[in-house]
């Protein structure tokens, strides 16, 4: 590893030699499939439905993977979804939906009685989400829209009916951010909501970040060239741009949340600047936002963040990729 990145890891208390297991998630109702993937599945005791597998296991070529019986998904990512405490029948927004693993887990938890809206600014990445939903048979209650998550105004209404519910100023401000619908499940619209209840029950803002907490991502620089790491990951100007983006995503996700609803903010960065600092800026301008303890996390192998009720997964403590999680309720 280059010296610049070793210094970065040292500053954040991460041992570069740490060993990370891989994780998969079994689709609910599917029996044990060890014989299909040719390795032992070790249950993740603190996260039901997740299993760790050996690094050398070849999932993509297995029959179980091709038939949509298993998902490749880090356990920390699963924890971010669990932190939302999804209930069937709720209306959920995934504001940064690609590449789609969390979106599929949300759809599974909702069942067929709720709705799920997935938004991403990159059309090709959102198309990959559509492929995943269809592969796992989760598309009926989901709609996918290409839009800028920092400014899109899309309430959980049937597509085509939501524009009439906005004020003149809201319509004018949103024209430049009109979403492009690329997929609409047959049960993904909502009608008959009272104006006072408009907004999503749950919002996930798994924000774009430097991905420095993901060992899998860092390993990609072996192909990209280690000389590009400083420009892609450690450049101060880039980090400043990303933290601004994260704050804007968090603000807009909260705007789309209904009163009494819950938002989870997460990143796979280990840095304070992209996590606690962004959260503090947001909370200082939103008195109706309150951090909430994540009840399901009492037995999770993670540390407390630098702000009460926030959580940090890291390779050394959790044996997962790095992940920051904060749960916010709208008063």
């Amino acid at each position: 590893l280059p010296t610049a990145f070793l210094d970065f890891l040292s500053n954040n208390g991460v041992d570069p030699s740490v060993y990370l297991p891989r994780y998969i998630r079994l689709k609910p109702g599917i029996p044990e499939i060890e014989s299909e993937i040719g390795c032992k599945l070790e249950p993740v005791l603190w996260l039901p439905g997740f299993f760790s597998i050996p690094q050398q296991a070849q999932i993509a070529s297995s029959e179980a993977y091709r038939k949509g019986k298993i998902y490749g998904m880090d356990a920390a990512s699963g924890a971010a979804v669990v932190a939302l405490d999804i209930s069937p029948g709720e209306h959920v927004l995934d504001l940064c939906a690609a590449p789609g693993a969390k979106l599929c887990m949300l759809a599974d938890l909702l069942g067929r009685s709720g709705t799920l809206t997935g938004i991403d600014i990159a059309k090709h990445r959102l198309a990959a989400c559509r492929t995943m939903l269809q592969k796992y048979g989760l598309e009926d209650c989901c709609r996918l829209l290409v839009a800028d998550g920092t400014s899109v105004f899309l309430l959980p209404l049937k597509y085509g009916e939501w524009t009439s519910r906005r004020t003149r100023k809201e319509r004018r401000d949103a024209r430049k951010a009109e979403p492009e619908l690329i997929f609409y499940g047959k049960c993904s619209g909502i009608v008959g909501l009272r104006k006072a209840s408009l907004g999503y029950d749950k919002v996930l803002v798994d924000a774009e970040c430097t991905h420095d907490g993901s060992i899998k991502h860092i390993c990609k620089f072996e192909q990209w060239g280690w000389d590009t790491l400083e420009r892609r990951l450690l450049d101060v100007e880039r980090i400043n741009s990303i933290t601004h983006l994260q704050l804007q995503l968090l603000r807009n996700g909260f705007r789309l949340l209904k009163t009494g609803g819950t938002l989870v903010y997460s990143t796979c960065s280990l840095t304070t600047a992209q996590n606690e600092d962004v959260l503090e800026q947001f909370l200082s301008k939103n008195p109706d936002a309150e951090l909430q303890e994540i009840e399901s996390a009492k037995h999770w192998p993670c540390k407390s963040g630098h702000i009460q009720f926030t959580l940090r997964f890291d390779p050394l403590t959790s044996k997962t990729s790095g992940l920051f999680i904060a749960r916010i309720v709208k008063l």
Side-chain angles (χ1 to χ4, degrees), residues 254 282-283 286-292 327-331:
F254 189 72
F282 167 76
L283 292 172
N286 292 272
D288 56 340
E290 182 177 86
L291 282 173
Q292 193 173 61
R327 176 183 165 105
I328 301 167
V329 65
K330 193 170 194 176
L331 303 177

Side-chain angles (χ1 to χ4, degrees), residues 79-301:
V81 174
V82 171
L84 266 177
D85 193 22
I86 298 295
S87 298
E90 291 184 320
H91 307 305
V92 181
L93 171 65
D94 187 348
L95 197 59
C96 310
K102 294 183 184 72
L103 185 78
C104 286
M105 186 172 173
L106 287 168
D108 254 342
L109 294 174
L110 280 170
R112 296 184 179 275
S113 58
T115 66
L116 177 60
T117 298
I119 290 174
D120 203 273
I121 198 168
K123 186 173 183 177
H124 68 284
R125 284 164 55 84
L126 206 57
C129 291
R130 175 182 59 197
T131 299
M132 285 187 68
L133 287 169
Q134 292 171 331
K135 174 181 178 179
Y136 295 113
L138 300 169
E139 69 273 22
D140 282 356
C141 294
C142 187
R143 58 179 177 175
L144 301 176
L145 299 106
V146 181
D148 183 347
T150 67
S151 57
V152 64
F153 186 87
L154 181 65
L155 294 172
L157 296 172
K158 197 167 185 178
Y159 190 75
E161 296 183 0
W162 59 281
T163 53
S164 62
R165 300 288 185 115
R166 296 180 295 179
T167 65
R168 182 179 300 175
K169 182 179 183 301
E170 288 170 339
R171 289 197 296 271
R172 184 176 65 249
D173 291 345
R175 279 194 192 101
K176 46 190 177 183
E178 290 290 347
E180 176 189 354
L181 182 71
I182 72 166
F183 182 77
Y184 190 79
K186 61 184 180 182
C187 303
S188 59
I190 306 169
V191 294
L193 285 178
R194 293 179 296 105
K195 187 172 182 179
S197 66
L198 290 182
Y200 294 90
D201 298 294
K202 303 286 171 65
V203 174
L204 176 63
V205 181
D206 185 48
E208 173 64 23
C209 68
T210 53
H211 305 289
D212 53 85
S214 171
I215 302 300
K216 181 178 179 181
H217 180 81
I218 296 301
C219 287
K220 293 178 181 178
F221 285 95
E222 287 188 331
Q223 288 78 44
W224 295 343
W226 290 111
D227 58 326
T228 68
L229 184 141
E230 288 192 59
R231 173 174 54 82
R232 293 190 182 207
L233 181 66
L234 306 178
D235 179 71
V236 173
E237 193 172 308
R238 169 171 160 72
I239 291 176
N240 289 339
S241 173
I242 284 178
T243 56
H244 177 73
L245 171 64
Q246 291 163 342
L247 182 58
Q248 294 301 107
L249 288 167
L250 180 51
R251 284 172 175 166
N252 199 42
F254 189 72
R255 179 173 72 129
L256 294 167
L257 186 67
K258 77 176 187 180
T259 300
T262 301
L263 179 150
V264 163
Y265 173 74
S266 63
T267 84
C268 59
S269 172
L270 299 169
T271 67
T272 301
Q274 297 176 66
N275 298 316
E276 287 91 348
D277 288 357
V278 168
L279 190 58
E280 285 184 332
Q281 288 182 68
F282 167 76
L283 292 172
S284 69
K285 300 292 185 181
N286 292 272
D288 56 340
E290 182 177 86
L291 282 173
Q292 193 173 61
E293 185 176 7
I294 302 172
E295 292 291 335
S296 54
K298 290 181 178 178
H299 302 293
W300 290 356

